[in-house]
Amino acid sequence: MGRKAKNLRGSTMATKSTRSSRTRKTPVATKSSTPAPVTAIDGNAPAAAASPAPTVVKSPQPVILGPELRKKELIDKVVKRSGIKKRDAKPVIESMLAVLGEALADSRELNLPDLGKVKVRREKQFSNGRVMIAKVRQSSPPQTGPSDEMPDAAE
């Protein structure tokens, strides 16, 4: 059954109140921002030169992030790769992270060959900290695979 509703101008219009009708209604275009098609001299067919060719717009590709590297995992990987004891590596890694954090806080540019070139682009202060947008540029992807293992001492 239909019912009547008032629109903003005060006139009534019929609306449907059925549950199964969940389709979106498209708005009726009253004035178009695109010009009317240009017709040929005889007035019958539109001119072919007036209609522009469609262009394909590529959307940005999403970046798929891997799992997060935490400090504990970083320490374990450094211990495995370097062969030193964990108790010796942990204070060095923590000091290095503190120095890198201070450099970023001072808006300094980092140029570390294996990591890449890190440059702070923007930052915003909040009451509980600050958010920095940084750009990292690597000349080539970091090596993975066999370099994770330590070479033999005889080599």
Side-chain angles (χ1 to χ4, degrees), residues 11-53:
S11 63
T12 59
M13 57 185 217
T15 59
K16 263 189 175 176
S17 64
T18 61
R19 292 180 117 183
S20 63
S21 116
R22 296 204 184 251
T23 59
R24 295 176 68 188
K25 295 182 181 180
T26 56
V28 178
T30 55
K31 285 189 176 181
S32 176
S33 62
T34 58
V38 178
T39 57
I41 296 174
D42 62 0
N44 292 335
S51 61

Side-chain angles (χ1 to χ4, degrees), residues 4-89:
K4 295 192 177 202
K6 288 191 175 187
N7 64 8
L8 295 176
R9 294 184 183 165
S11 63
T12 59
M13 57 185 217
T15 59
K16 263 189 175 176
S17 64
T18 61
R19 292 180 117 183
S20 63
S21 116
R22 296 204 184 251
T23 59
R24 295 176 68 188
K25 295 182 181 180
T26 56
V28 178
T30 55
K31 285 189 176 181
S32 176
S33 62
T34 58
V38 178
T39 57
I41 296 174
D42 62 0
N44 292 335
S51 61
T55 58
V56 177
V57 178
K58 293 183 180 179
S59 62
Q61 297 298 321
V63 176
I64 300 173
L65 299 176
E68 194 174 85
L69 178 68
R70 301 215 178 252
K71 185 171 78 169
K72 182 180 185 309
E73 184 182 358
L74 175 67
I75 292 170
D76 291 340
K77 285 185 177 241
V78 169
V79 166
K80 181 180 175 185
R81 190 175 290 188
S82 65
I84 63 173
K85 294 181 180 178
K86 187 173 183 177
R87 67 174 183 209
D88 296 332

